Structures are given as structure tokens and as C-alpha cells.
Amino acid sequence: AGYMQFGILCLFMFLIYTFLRVVIFPDPEKKGFTFWLRIGSGLALSFLFTVLFALPQIWLTYQLAMLSNRVGVVEEYAYVGSMFPGAISTIFFPHWNNIFRGNNLYMGIFSLFLVIAAFSQPDVSLKNVLKLWFWMGAIALLMALGQWSPLYVAFVKLTHFYSFRTPAKFLIFICMSLAFLGGLGFQQLWEVAKGEKRSLLLAQIGKWFLVVCLFFIGLAGLLFSFFKFGKGQIFKVGD
């Protein structure tokens, strides 16, 4: 039947992207009711034709779903497969994904350098794009955390839709947002590469990169100490 759930998640994130891009962070020359109406009409028509083209597959998938264990599920089903907040540490320690059900946000250490570069003295013309992908990543993270996120819990309680599980799938959109931020960081470095501010910018980026590295290394040391010397207390809490 195809992976219908992920297709719907993509559509969900695309609608959030469109809202942020058109309403919250528009281009200066592209805003106002007329522009919003044109975009909204275009999206509605696109959605209508997409549904019509895919209707045979949607109908067959629906029939299949009615025969599966997703019928009549309770609210707790929607929280199965939530990404534990500790999985955020896999941005720096990829091997820790074995602890967090395989959830992994690692994109390479140098990618962190580029993401930090994006937020260092950003070009005025890129500020809206920077904010856009920051919030896209933040929303995707809050959805991926599932039961650990007030946003996801509120969404489930408001919609009463419980048939989708494994909210950790949203981590793909987190990585996508980080990739765009890394691209913006590369553009930032490229534009100042021959300018007078080059050394100042690199020093600023290097400082924050060092802070991030020390934070994660310190976190690893703290966890190691906690599990080594507090093992008795951990077992007591577990019991």
C-alpha cells in the first residue's frame, strides 16, 4: 500500500513550512491578503488534484487499515515510539543511538560548525530564511519527542487521532532543517571569505563551536560519573 503515514507527515510539515514562509517570515515585497489568497488557492487546488490522482491507492490503503490493529486504538498508542530527549545527544555522539532505540541525529561534526556559522553575524537578507528553518527544526523536534513534548501531546488530545505511532519519524525533518541551516552557514562563510571581517567571524564561530564541544564532552563525563558512582541509586529508582 505504500508508506502512507510518512506521506501525510511530509504534507503536515509542508503546510507548516508554507504558513511560516508566507505569513510569519514573508519576503518584504510579498505579503498582504491578496498574496496569501493566491498562495492559499494554489495550495488548495494542488491538494485537491493530488488527492484525486492518489484516490485509488488511498481507498485501498484505508480498507487495509480497517483490517489492522490500528482500529479502535487508545491515546497511548499515539505515543509509542516517542524520541527520548536524551537522543538529542546523538548530534555529537552518534554511537549513543544504541541507547535511544536507534534514533540518531548525527550529521558530522563539521556540520555543527556550519550551523553555528549560520547564526554568526547573519546577512540581513538571510535573516528570515534563518528564522524559518530554525523554527521548522524546533517544531519537528517537539513533534518527534512525542509523549515528552507538550506540543505533540496537545495535538493528539485536540485531534483525538491515535492511529499513527512512532513520532520519532519527525527526526528526518530535524535533520533536513539542520542541513538547510548548515547551507546558510556555508553561504555566510563564503560571502565573508575575502572580507576584512573574516578572522573575526572565524574566531567567533570557533569560540561557540568549542563551547558546544565542551558541553557535550562534559555531559558525557557527567553521565559516566553518574552511572559509575550512582549505580545503587539508579537500581533503587528502577525497582
Side-chain angles (χ1 to χ4, degrees), residues 162-183:
Y162 311 139
S163 296
F164 284 172
R165 60 183 175 183
T166 319
K169 290 184 177 75
F170 280 98
L171 69 81
I172 293 176
F173 303 107
I174 303 171
C175 290
M176 180 180 174
S177 300
L178 289 172
F180 273 96
L181 290 172

mmCIF file of all heavy atoms in Angstrom, residues 162-183:
data_model
loop_
_atom_site.group_PDB
_atom_site.id
_atom_site.type_symbol
_atom_site.label_atom_id
_atom_site.label_comp_id
_atom_site.label_asym_id
_atom_site.label_seq_id
_atom_site.Cartn_x
_atom_site.Cartn_y
_atom_site.Cartn_z
ATOM 1 N N TYR A 162 -5.389 8.826 16.968
ATOM 2 C CA TYR A 162 -4.443 7.984 17.672
ATOM 3 C C TYR A 162 -3.824 6.897 16.784
ATOM 4 O O TYR A 162 -3.054 6.073 17.276
ATOM 5 C CB TYR A 162 -5.132 7.282 18.856
ATOM 6 C CG TYR A 162 -5.934 8.191 19.753
ATOM 7 C CD1 TYR A 162 -7.177 7.790 20.244
ATOM 8 C CD2 TYR A 162 -5.450 9.452 20.110
ATOM 9 C CE1 TYR A 162 -7.919 8.615 21.084
ATOM 10 C CE2 TYR A 162 -6.184 10.285 20.946
ATOM 11 C CZ TYR A 162 -7.425 9.863 21.430
ATOM 12 O OH TYR A 162 -8.152 10.688 22.242
ATOM 13 N N SER A 163 -4.140 6.883 15.498
ATOM 14 C CA SER A 163 -3.764 5.743 14.655
ATOM 15 C C SER A 163 -2.312 5.750 14.191
ATOM 16 O O SER A 163 -1.837 4.750 13.654
ATOM 17 C CB SER A 163 -4.687 5.682 13.433
ATOM 18 O OG SER A 163 -6.015 5.429 13.836
ATOM 19 N N PHE A 164 -1.613 6.872 14.345
ATOM 20 C CA PHE A 164 -0.203 6.940 13.950
ATOM 21 C C PHE A 164 0.671 6.812 15.189
ATOM 22 O O PHE A 164 0.440 7.483 16.198
ATOM 23 C CB PHE A 164 0.112 8.254 13.245
ATOM 24 C CG PHE A 164 -0.387 8.321 11.824
ATOM 25 C CD1 PHE A 164 -0.318 9.505 11.112
ATOM 26 C CD2 PHE A 164 -0.923 7.210 11.199
ATOM 27 C CE1 PHE A 164 -0.777 9.577 9.804
ATOM 28 C CE2 PHE A 164 -1.384 7.265 9.894
ATOM 29 C CZ PHE A 164 -1.309 8.458 9.192
ATOM 30 N N ARG A 165 1.696 5.985 15.087
ATOM 31 C CA ARG A 165 2.646 5.855 16.189
ATOM 32 C C ARG A 165 4.038 6.269 15.697
ATOM 33 O O ARG A 165 4.190 6.749 14.584
ATOM 34 C CB ARG A 165 2.659 4.408 16.698
ATOM 35 C CG ARG A 165 3.066 3.409 15.635
ATOM 36 C CD ARG A 165 2.996 1.984 16.136
ATOM 37 N NE ARG A 165 3.280 1.031 15.064
ATOM 38 C CZ ARG A 165 3.237 -0.273 15.204
ATOM 39 N NH1 ARG A 165 2.920 -0.800 16.371
ATOM 40 N NH2 ARG A 165 3.504 -1.063 14.184
ATOM 41 N N THR A 166 5.026 6.102 16.558
ATOM 42 C CA THR A 166 6.427 6.429 16.268
ATOM 43 C C THR A 166 6.602 7.885 15.810
ATOM 44 O O THR A 166 6.998 8.150 14.674
ATOM 45 C CB THR A 166 7.009 5.476 15.196
ATOM 46 O OG1 THR A 166 6.568 4.147 15.424
ATOM 47 C CG2 THR A 166 8.528 5.513 15.232
ATOM 48 N N PRO A 167 6.292 8.828 16.687
ATOM 49 C CA PRO A 167 6.540 10.234 16.344
ATOM 50 C C PRO A 167 8.012 10.540 16.097
ATOM 51 O O PRO A 167 8.334 11.584 15.514
ATOM 52 C CB PRO A 167 6.011 10.998 17.570
ATOM 53 C CG PRO A 167 5.919 9.982 18.661
ATOM 54 C CD PRO A 167 5.648 8.678 18.001
ATOM 55 N N ALA A 168 8.914 9.637 16.502
ATOM 56 C CA ALA A 168 10.352 9.844 16.255
ATOM 57 C C ALA A 168 10.662 9.981 14.771
ATOM 58 O O ALA A 168 11.746 10.440 14.408
ATOM 59 C CB ALA A 168 11.163 8.702 16.856
ATOM 60 N N LYS A 169 9.723 9.585 13.901
ATOM 61 C CA LYS A 169 9.937 9.755 12.458
ATOM 62 C C LYS A 169 10.184 11.215 12.083
ATOM 63 O O LYS A 169 10.793 11.502 11.056
ATOM 64 C CB LYS A 169 8.727 9.238 11.677
ATOM 65 C CG LYS A 169 8.550 7.730 11.702
ATOM 66 C CD LYS A 169 7.380 7.323 10.810
ATOM 67 C CE LYS A 169 7.218 5.815 10.740
ATOM 68 N NZ LYS A 169 6.637 5.258 11.964
ATOM 69 N N PHE A 170 9.736 12.141 12.912
ATOM 70 C CA PHE A 170 9.939 13.565 12.635
ATOM 71 C C PHE A 170 11.414 13.951 12.666
ATOM 72 O O PHE A 170 11.767 15.065 12.264
ATOM 73 C CB PHE A 170 9.160 14.427 13.642
ATOM 74 C CG PHE A 170 7.702 14.569 13.317
ATOM 75 C CD1 PHE A 170 6.759 13.774 13.938
ATOM 76 C CD2 PHE A 170 7.268 15.504 12.391
ATOM 77 C CE1 PHE A 170 5.399 13.907 13.652
ATOM 78 C CE2 PHE A 170 5.918 15.649 12.096
ATOM 79 C CZ PHE A 170 4.976 14.843 12.721
ATOM 80 N N LEU A 171 12.275 13.049 13.171
ATOM 81 C CA LEU A 171 13.711 13.393 13.221
ATOM 82 C C LEU A 171 14.278 13.631 11.822
ATOM 83 O O LEU A 171 15.280 14.331 11.659
ATOM 84 C CB LEU A 171 14.513 12.331 13.966
ATOM 85 C CG LEU A 171 14.713 10.938 13.391
ATOM 86 C CD1 LEU A 171 15.838 10.900 12.366
ATOM 87 C CD2 LEU A 171 15.048 9.958 14.517
ATOM 88 N N ILE A 172 13.637 13.066 10.797
ATOM 89 C CA ILE A 172 14.080 13.320 9.419
ATOM 90 C C ILE A 172 13.946 14.805 9.095
ATOM 91 O O ILE A 172 14.804 15.399 8.439
ATOM 92 C CB ILE A 172 13.268 12.465 8.434
ATOM 93 C CG1 ILE A 172 13.602 10.988 8.653
ATOM 94 C CG2 ILE A 172 13.533 12.873 6.988
ATOM 95 C CD1 ILE A 172 12.797 10.039 7.809
ATOM 96 N N PHE A 173 12.883 15.434 9.576
ATOM 97 C CA PHE A 173 12.666 16.860 9.305
ATOM 98 C C PHE A 173 13.596 17.730 10.156
ATOM 99 O O PHE A 173 13.929 18.845 9.764
ATOM 100 C CB PHE A 173 11.198 17.217 9.559
ATOM 101 C CG PHE A 173 10.236 16.403 8.741
ATOM 102 C CD1 PHE A 173 9.472 15.419 9.333
ATOM 103 C CD2 PHE A 173 10.124 16.601 7.373
ATOM 104 C CE1 PHE A 173 8.595 14.650 8.584
ATOM 105 C CE2 PHE A 173 9.254 15.840 6.614
ATOM 106 C CZ PHE A 173 8.482 14.852 7.221
ATOM 107 N N ILE A 174 14.002 17.204 11.319
ATOM 108 C CA ILE A 174 15.006 17.917 12.122
ATOM 109 C C ILE A 174 16.318 17.967 11.338
ATOM 110 O O ILE A 174 16.945 19.026 11.212
ATOM 111 C CB ILE A 174 15.237 17.221 13.484
ATOM 112 C CG1 ILE A 174 13.943 17.097 14.272
ATOM 113 C CG2 ILE A 174 16.275 17.998 14.301
ATOM 114 C CD1 ILE A 174 14.068 16.240 15.521
ATOM 115 N N CYS A 175 16.724 16.816 10.800
ATOM 116 C CA CYS A 175 17.970 16.742 10.020
ATOM 117 C C CYS A 175 17.883 17.613 8.773
ATOM 118 O O CYS A 175 18.862 18.251 8.379
ATOM 119 C CB CYS A 175 18.267 15.297 9.643
ATOM 120 S SG CYS A 175 18.746 14.264 11.040
ATOM 121 N N MET A 176 16.711 17.645 8.160
ATOM 122 C CA MET A 176 16.522 18.487 6.973
ATOM 123 C C MET A 176 16.718 19.963 7.330
ATOM 124 O O MET A 176 17.383 20.713 6.610
ATOM 125 C CB MET A 176 15.125 18.258 6.415
ATOM 126 C CG MET A 176 14.795 19.077 5.188
ATOM 127 S SD MET A 176 13.106 18.715 4.611
ATOM 128 C CE MET A 176 12.968 19.938 3.306
ATOM 129 N N SER A 177 16.162 20.387 8.457
ATOM 130 C CA SER A 177 16.309 21.774 8.899
ATOM 131 C C SER A 177 17.766 22.103 9.212
ATOM 132 O O SER A 177 18.265 23.171 8.852
ATOM 133 C CB SER A 177 15.440 22.027 10.137
ATOM 134 O OG SER A 177 14.086 21.783 9.861
ATOM 135 N N LEU A 178 18.457 21.165 9.879
ATOM 136 C CA LEU A 178 19.873 21.381 10.183
ATOM 137 C C LEU A 178 20.699 21.465 8.901
ATOM 138 O O LEU A 178 21.669 22.219 8.826
ATOM 139 C CB LEU A 178 20.395 20.247 11.074
ATOM 140 C CG LEU A 178 19.893 20.238 12.518
ATOM 141 C CD1 LEU A 178 20.332 18.968 13.231
ATOM 142 C CD2 LEU A 178 20.389 21.469 13.272
ATOM 143 N N ALA A 179 20.301 20.684 7.889
ATOM 144 C CA ALA A 179 21.015 20.723 6.610
ATOM 145 C C ALA A 179 20.866 22.099 5.949
ATOM 146 O O ALA A 179 21.837 22.655 5.423
ATOM 147 C CB ALA A 179 20.488 19.634 5.687
ATOM 148 N N PHE A 180 19.655 22.652 5.990
ATOM 149 C CA PHE A 180 19.448 23.988 5.427
ATOM 150 C C PHE A 180 20.218 25.049 6.216
ATOM 151 O O PHE A 180 20.795 25.973 5.641
ATOM 152 C CB PHE A 180 17.953 24.329 5.407
ATOM 153 C CG PHE A 180 17.251 23.854 4.175
ATOM 154 C CD1 PHE A 180 16.576 22.653 4.159
ATOM 155 C CD2 PHE A 180 17.275 24.612 3.011
ATOM 156 C CE1 PHE A 180 15.935 22.198 3.022
ATOM 157 C CE2 PHE A 180 16.637 24.177 1.867
ATOM 158 C CZ PHE A 180 15.962 22.961 1.863
ATOM 159 N N LEU A 181 20.225 24.915 7.537
ATOM 160 C CA LEU A 181 20.979 25.866 8.366
ATOM 161 C C LEU A 181 22.472 25.753 8.076
ATOM 162 O O LEU A 181 23.182 26.763 8.030
ATOM 163 C CB LEU A 181 20.698 25.606 9.848
ATOM 164 C CG LEU A 181 19.293 25.970 10.337
ATOM 165 C CD1 LEU A 181 19.072 25.478 11.760
ATOM 166 C CD2 LEU A 181 19.060 27.477 10.261
ATOM 167 N N GLY A 182 22.946 24.521 7.880
ATOM 168 C CA GLY A 182 24.354 24.329 7.517
ATOM 169 C C GLY A 182 24.674 24.967 6.179
ATOM 170 O O GLY A 182 25.749 25.555 5.990
ATOM 171 N N GLY A 183 23.742 24.875 5.228
ATOM 172 C CA GLY A 183 23.925 25.529 3.931
ATOM 173 C C GLY A 183 23.991 27.041 4.056
ATOM 174 O O GLY A 183 24.818 27.702 3.406
#
